[in-house]
Structures are given as C-alpha cells and as structure tokens.
Amino acid sequence: MAQGEFELIRRYFAQPALNFYKNSVQLGPGDDAAILSVPAGKQLVVSTDALNSAVHFPVDADPFLLAQRCLLVNLSDLAAMGAEPLAFTLAISLPEPDEAWLEAFSRGLSVVAQAYQCPLIGGDTTRGPLSVCIQVHGLVPAGQALLRRGAKAGDAIYVTGELGDAAAALWWLMSDPRLNQRALSRDVEQAFKQAFYQPDIRINAGSALRGIASAVLDISDGLISDLQHILDASSKLGTTLGAELDARLLPMSEVFKDSVPPQEQAKLALTGGDDYELCVCVPPLLETEARAAMALLAIPFTRVGTITGEAGIRLHSADGSEQPIDWQGYNHFV
Ligand code: ADP
Ligand code: MG
C-alpha cells in the first residue's frame, strides 16, 4: 500500500495502545526490524497463524471482534506450549484503506494485546484480499515447554473449559437449521458470538501445567482430530498409542445443551473445532496435582478419557455402547 501507507501504520498500528512497554522488547515498530532479548534461563517460543476472509471468518465480520479472534487464536498456541506472551507481529493485507474498519480492528487488537500484556512490535501492511497473519512470541523457562510428544499409555486425558460452543456458534453464524431455534435468545446469541470471536484461551492453565502434564495441545480442529496429533507424536518405535474417550464425560455448556439437538451434541463437541481449550495428558501419579492447580485458577478441568497402548481412538457413546471412531463418518461433520 503505497499512498498513505506510513500514515495508516502510524495511526492504527505503530501507536501507544499497541506498542506499550514490555520488558525484553528492545525495539518496536519503526525500524527495519524489531529487537527482542531473551532473558537468561528462558527460551523463545514462536508461532504463526494466518486467517483469511471467507475461509476462516465471514467476509463481513465485525473488525473489532475479528481482531480479537486473530490475536487470541495465536496466543492459544503459546498457552499450549506453557509459554507466556512476549510480543507479536502483524502482516495484514487489505482491499482498501477503510479507516473505520482499521480503527475498530486496531481497537480490538489492543484489547487483547493489553489483556495479555503482549505488545505489537512490527509488521507489514499491503493491499490485497483481506487476510491477517500474526506471529506471536512467548517465553518459557528453558526445557520446560509443554510438547505433544510425552503421553504414555495409562495417562489420563483432560480438557479445560467446555467443548463445542464455537462449533455451535458457527452453526449460528451460518443459520444452520439444526440449531434449536426456540433456544436462541439474545443471551444465547451473545454467548455464541463470544465463543467464536473471544475464546477464553488458557495461558494461565498452560503455565501452571509445566512439570505436571505429559503432553498438551490446544484444540483447534476438534478433540478427536487434535488428540490424534498427541497420539502420533507420542508413539515411539514399537509402540503405537491409542485412546479411549467417554462421550458421557464431555464438558458442554448449558447454552450448547439447550440449542444443539441431543443426538448431535457429542459429535459436534468432539469434531466441531475452534474450541481453543487445552487437551492435557497427565500421568496417574500427578492427577491430583493437576486438578489442584486448575482448581486454584478456577479453570474447569474434566477427565474425558485415557491413553491406551492400542492404536485408534475408541469412543464410549452416551447410550453405553463402545465403538471405534469411524473417521469417514466423522469427517463429514468437520
Ligand atoms: P519495509 O520498508 O522494511 O518494508 P515497512 O514499510 O513494511 O518497512 O514498515 C515500516 C515499519 O512499520 C516497520 O517497522 C514495520 O514493522 C512497521 N509496520 C508495518 N506494518 C505494520 C503493521 N501492520 N503493524 C505493526 N507495524 C507495522
Ligand atoms: Mg515491509
């Protein structure tokens, strides 16, 4: 974006609400690059996620809410590593320099940036189809990051928060006829909007689980699909891990239970995605400690299953029957 590019950057991105002081940020926006220093005993944790209009969010999404979602889903990856936010960069592509849109977008960004003390330290602003690419940087005590690869047979599988709200929110955003219309009051719609655009990401949970959890990831594609990543990463030569999940234990919000038909609930909660809750594996001897740490933070923490030494994910259904997950069948609902 040539004309007025620098003025736009200065007004909406290189400004105090987003470039506030943070220890370890030596240089923010304005030069050819930013400078971070990594304190002794810490490691830098880096992750990036691009969100494209029409693919990841509706074309006419509210820019104030959209900005929050873009930064939150990136910060969720830091949570899943047990890292604390340090700073972020933003590469944004815009069809036109719409000032009202930019004003609301930068305000949304600053709400989340300030809440998580994660300033904007640089980026790139270009003309093109609407797309937002954020890179987050975080710090973790050296050697203590939470990885996907430490789970063992016998470990308990927990999730934070509740599952399925964001998937139900997507049904709501797309006016899916499966949603129980009678249950859709303004409060419910507000809850769905919040679940989709302002997920309650789990930075504090991730930090508190360092040294306790054997494997962690954040649930972005649905528990079934993401748990498989933990199983793949944790299986070693000669051992293939699997899991047993109990559909009856899945934590679901009241709003979700009121508005999603009972026969669709487990399926949507397991495969819908966009939860940004943590899936946490815990060795049996550390379960009490893990539960206590989450209780101290008042974060719902629910055991939903167990890691097994047998390949595949088996699901105990609500009707008590036990069945292997039919991937083909489940993929239709993703
Ligand atoms: P370059 O000449 O290196 O391409 P740019 O014109 O892209 O520099 O950016 C100039 C300065 O503005 C850089 O410090 C860059 O980090 C910052 N900047 C550009 N776009 C953004 C943005 N969307 N958010 C934050 N900082 C930005
Ligand atoms: Mg540039």
Side-chain angles (χ1 to χ4, degrees), residues 2 33 38 77 95 150 232 247 284 303:
V38 181
D77 283 314
D232 292 341
R303 182 167 180 173

Side-chain angles (χ1 to χ4, degrees), residues 121-136:
I121 55 166
D124 199 22
T125 308
T126 55
R127 193 187 284 266
L130 179 59
S131 137
V132 179
C133 182
I134 285 177
Q135 182 170 51
V136 284

Side-chain angles (χ1 to χ4, degrees), residues 5-6 9 13 29-31 90 92 120 122-125:
E5 173 191 342
F6 297 110
I9 295 170
F13 299 122
D31 215 306
L90 166 72
I92 187 167
L120 176 61
D124 199 22
T125 308

